[in-house]
Amino acid sequence: GGTYVGAAFGPSSGQVDTEGLRFQSLLTIEKDLKTFKPNLIQSYEINEDSTRFTIHLREGMKWSNGDDLTTDDWMFWYTDILTNTDVNPSVEAAYCSNGKPMVYEQIDPYTLDIVFEEPNPAFEITMARYATNIIRTFFAPKEYLKQWHKTYNPDADKLAKEEGYESWILCFKAHLDNSQAQTDCDAPDVYPWVLDRIDTNGNKFFARNPYYHVVDQEGNQLPYIDEQEAMIVQDKDVRALKLISGEIHAAGENPLPVSDYTMLKENEANGDYQVFLFENTRGSDCAFTFNITDKNPDLREIFTNVKFRQAMSYALDRNTINETLYYGKGTVRQATASADVSFMKEEFENAFIEYDVDKANALLDECGYEWNSAHTVRTMPNGQDFNIVLETIEEFVPMAEMACEYWNAVGVKVTLKQVERSYYLERGVGNERDMQAFTMDSVGEFNLRGAAFSRLRPGNAYDDLEFMRAYKDYWDSNGAKGEQPPAEIQEIYDDCLKFGTMSNTDPEYAALGESILKRISDQCWFIGVSVSPRLVIISNRLGNTPTEGTFANDYNFWKPYRGDTWYFKY
């Protein structure tokens, strides 16, 4: 029984502490972060060259509204969502092999083959990791959603306008969306809790799914907890107060900086919770990127100069930032793949990270960015003073503020602009940002394999850290939109896709992975600072909760710790 409450930093994002407990995928990721077993499916087989995956569904499994879940729902998702360019302009690399999308072949109501033209030995990772998404994953409730899809309803545009949408596409995607931005409280799902209502303050309530497919060892249907609430909070300080007052039951969603560790630890008794330090697989807690496809030609000329990017990296005193913000608990490193990647080299982690003002100034001088007459700021080639706008969200403001001071000291004025997260993401999609700061996560080996080098692949830094959007648009549209990238960037992109087709036992696997990391490192596209442990806070009222482990987007945060088995102690 009871209602579990987690913070929400906005109506469409910042809700990991509830969403992460709902996550369900085709396969579970066990606590060892290596083992998979069937979850939303009964079983599966893989052929010898990893080009065909035979999926066996659970007969009798139902959506939360009682409808049967069959391969019709899988075919609907594949045909009418994933490969429908109106709904989904491009197929994500995780559903491809070497850039070529998978194909669904329906065998019967409970059997389906997923076929790849080229081997995809990492597809098990995709089956285990991919859960909620703006276009859902692997299957969708056909009987419910088809009423808004023009293929099934010729009057879909009329219906969309009645609901206040400009087109059937926008209306359909709104009903389809089961991500943190979900607004349809009637949409069926297969998760342990499903969206039930949204109050006038924007708080979301998720009710127990009466058809959830999992039972415990005694045969009791999960989840044990009846309801979730995603409670809107203004910022991390408001969340901390609600933790201390016992209004929120767990927290792992950033911002939870190590600098708050002492304060949170001192209030453990007051809040009736415990604070833990979990492992972190980020490549950098915060990374900075410059938009090398900037719409402003003057800034683009600067940002595409690798010596400028190297200078900006040398200008940062990472040790001081680490001591000031993280009490020295962080590991200073460049933004690259996570430290435990099998082909990681120290040279990639240490590239351009020494604090060397002389070297930074020398590189900027070499670029021709001269100081103004008052020696207060450097000038750009167009004769104007440097003034780059750095956009970010709350979590990365403290580090961004310190970084700006160091950059200003070498004559490159950077002005910090904190924006709301949804707006921040929209500007990334529109190629409107000049410079950005966000986390470098999802770069553990798990994701480098499953998503063809994940965030590090050119054009795949996601909307939050995107710095070559025009090239991404070109790749996503097969050249119909955007700009054709230079040959050296295209080569890295192609090699990342090739890496996604390789088994980690392939003799060429490590060599190709190392080669990609080396070239990305040399480009200095990502400027990182450090990686710190992840703070995790859990109420003492909860049972079956973890006390150690890894808390990372690589593994869907809370997902390995089975939120459906948590319970309240009475």
Side-chain angles (χ1 to χ4, degrees), residues 147-367:
Q147 61 186 304
W148 292 285
H149 200 295
K150 199 158 190 175
T151 299
Y152 302 89
N153 180 5
D155 295 324
D157 271 318
K158 179 182 177 182
L159 179 59
K161 286 180 171 56
E162 290 174 356
E163 295 189 17
Y165 295 94
E166 293 182 2
S167 69
W168 76 266
I169 299 168
L170 295 175
C171 184
F172 176 77
K173 291 175 76 170
H175 290 284
L176 170 69
D177 189 353
N178 71 338
S179 73
Q180 295 180 22
Q182 181 179 352
T183 56
D184 185 346
C185 297
D186 295 319
D189 216 319
V190 294
Y191 293 161
W193 301 273
V194 294
L195 184 62
D196 180 59
R197 65 192 188 280
I198 304 173
D199 68 18
T200 55
N201 294 319
N203 301 312
K204 293 183 177 180
F205 297 84
F206 299 82
R208 194 175 188 276
N209 176 1
Y211 293 99
Y212 186 54
H213 67 289
V214 183
V215 297
D216 69 9
Q217 297 93 324
E218 304 296 327
N220 300 304
Q221 185 189 22
L222 298 178
Y224 294 130
I225 293 174
D226 282 340
E227 187 177 58
Q228 283 190 335
E229 177 185 355
M231 179 187 288
I232 296 287
V233 298
Q234 180 178 347
D235 53 33
K236 72 177 184 66
D237 296 326
V238 173
R239 179 181 57 180
L241 291 173
K242 290 186 178 295
L243 280 164
I244 293 168
S245 66
E247 296 178 66
I248 290 176
H249 297 116
E253 167 100 11
N254 276 326
L256 268 176
V258 173
S259 56
D260 287 350
Y261 177 80
T262 301
M263 180 272 292
L264 291 166
K265 191 74 176 173
E266 289 174 349
N267 283 281
E268 279 185 326
N270 293 332
D272 195 22
Y273 61 71
Q274 291 188 70
V275 181
F276 305 99
L277 292 177
F278 275 46
E279 295 294 321
N280 186 357
T281 60
R282 283 175 163 179
S284 181
D285 284 332
C286 178
F288 303 97
T289 58
F290 301 95
N291 187 358
I292 66 172
T293 63
D294 202 296
K295 293 179 179 179
N296 182 329
D298 294 322
L299 290 177
R300 179 185 288 214
E301 179 185 349
I302 294 166
F303 296 159
T304 53
N305 188 334
V306 66
K307 291 182 179 179
F308 168 77
R309 301 194 296 268
Q310 292 170 356
M312 296 294 274
S313 186
Y314 283 129
L316 295 180
D317 186 349
R318 291 168 172 82
N319 288 321
T320 296
I321 294 174
N322 183 32
E323 291 293 333
T324 303
L325 298 180
Y326 304 110
Y327 300 140
K329 291 184 178 293
T331 299
V332 169
R333 73 194 306 270
Q334 190 56 281
T336 182
S338 60
D340 59 355
V341 167
S342 62
F343 45 84
M344 175 57 66
K345 302 293 182 184
E346 286 187 13
E347 65 184 90
F348 308 148
E349 297 178 286
N350 297 331
F352 316 111
I353 68 168
E354 65 258 41
Y355 177 46
D356 194 328
V357 174
D358 290 340
K359 189 175 290 187
N361 277 315
L363 285 168
L364 293 171
D365 290 342
E366 188 176 339
C367 292

Side-chain angles (χ1 to χ4, degrees), residues 44-58:
Y44 66 103
E45 295 101 36
I46 308 172
N47 70 349
E48 189 173 344
D49 65 354
S50 298
T51 57
R52 184 175 294 268
F53 293 71
T54 299
I55 307 297
H56 301 281
L57 276 59
R58 296 182 181 274

Side-chain angles (χ1 to χ4, degrees), residues 39-94:
N39 178 30
L40 294 177
I41 58 176
Q42 180 69 40
S43 61
Y44 66 103
E45 295 101 36
I46 308 172
N47 70 349
E48 189 173 344
D49 65 354
S50 298
T51 57
R52 184 175 294 268
F53 293 71
T54 299
I55 307 297
H56 301 281
L57 276 59
R58 296 182 181 274
E59 295 191 30
M61 186 170 171
K62 296 180 181 293
W63 292 96
S64 56
N65 65 354
D67 288 346
D68 288 333
L69 196 162
T70 71
T71 51
D72 285 346
D73 298 303
W74 289 62
M75 297 306 299
F76 171 73
W77 177 80
Y78 179 81
T79 303
D80 299 303
I81 299 172
L82 182 72
T83 59
N84 183 310
T85 54
D86 288 333
V87 177
N88 184 45
S90 63
V91 178
E92 189 176 345

